[in-house]
Amino acid sequence: IFTIVPLILPFYNNIYDMKNLLVLFILATSTIAFSQEQSFNAEQEMAFYGDVMVNATLPSNRLRAADKFLKYFQAHLDVKGTLDSLPFTRFISVLEPDDKKFKLISWHVQADNYEYDYYAFLLYPEGSYVRFDDNSLLNDGMDYEHVSTSEWYGALYYKLMKSGDDYLVFGFNANSQFTNKKVVDVLNFKAENLHLGKPIFEDKTDLGNFKNRLILDYSSDATVNLNYNPGLEMIVHDHLMQRIGRI
């Protein structure tokens, strides 16, 4: 008896270890499958809520969908750190400079009374990101201000380009029932924290004086171009004239 037990015990231990390995393998496989299913579900949820926040008729439905979309979007960035090959990107603006150092993601949602909520993220290749918080109004007083990401004025960005050591961003802001705004701003990475604004835009009415950003205010029933012209190598925009009787 005493000579047989040591021979049987290792065999029993091996069986026990194999059972443990089998259980661990099943758990690991289940975890991977569950994670993939969760990721798939999150992507499908973003596609659904993105569609609702853009196309729903009722403002309350759009805003509710926007909250859900933001929740899933930020959770996706926390886990995946990328936006590649996702079905919901047609509902948002995703811009990337030629050097591919980051992506600028932005979108807006129409609320009631001609108001819009704005969202933006700056996503780095390694997966970290900076969220912009819509906490300010885009007005003429901001021409000379530096704006942090926590004081952002809100814009849907439609163009991003590198200019020297800086990056220019072109954005749209649906200001009110009667007026819209377009802005050219500078993403400034030289400070300790990312902020917007740099005095590189000369004031045409006060030569030698430079603004931190260029803001155009125009009637909501007008179409105004504000973009970079590569042939002229200049930022160009339509000439604006004040309309009598319209604030």
Side-chain angles (χ1 to χ4, degrees), residues 1 18 49 67 80 107 121 126 133 146 151 169 171 222-223 229 239 245:
I1 296 175
M18 290 178 65
Y49 286 116
D67 289 340
K80 296 287 188 178
W107 67 93
F121 289 79
E126 71 276 10
D133 295 318
H146 292 282
E151 306 169 313
V169 287
T223 300
N229 188 310
H239 177 66

Side-chain angles (χ1 to χ4, degrees), residues 97-99 101-102 160-169 185-189:
D98 292 337
D99 59 16
K101 287 189 174 181
F102 60 89
L160 167 65
M161 59 177 290
K162 189 170 177 57
S163 177
D165 296 330
D166 301 312
Y167 297 89
L168 298 181
V169 287
D185 213 333
V186 181
L187 288 177
N188 197 324
F189 294 88

Side-chain angles (χ1 to χ4, degrees), residues 147-175:
V147 178
S148 70
T149 55
S150 62
E151 306 169 313
W152 186 50
Y153 45 77
L156 174 66
Y157 292 115
Y158 57 88
K159 185 176 180 62
L160 167 65
M161 59 177 290
K162 189 170 177 57
S163 177
D165 296 330
D166 301 312
Y167 297 89
L168 298 181
V169 287
F170 297 71
F172 168 81
N173 180 290
N175 182 59

Side-chain angles (χ1 to χ4, degrees), residues 56-81:
T57 302
L58 295 178
S60 58
N61 289 344
R62 292 195 298 267
L63 294 176
R64 181 179 177 184
D67 289 340
K68 292 287 188 178
F69 182 86
L70 177 63
K71 173 185 173 182
Y72 282 110
F73 178 86
Q74 195 156 352
H76 176 87
L77 289 187
D78 289 335
V79 175
K80 296 287 188 178

Side-chain angles (χ1 to χ4, degrees), residues 132-143:
F132 293 30
D133 295 318
D134 181 9
N135 285 323
S136 299
L137 295 177
L138 184 61
N139 53 52
D140 294 339
M142 299 187 72
D143 288 351

Side-chain angles (χ1 to χ4, degrees), residues 26-43:
I26 293 173
L27 288 175
T29 305
S30 300
T31 301
I32 293 172
F34 178 76
S35 298
Q36 291 175 342
E37 181 181 358
Q38 289 292 96
S39 176
F40 174 79
N41 290 339
E43 293 171 11

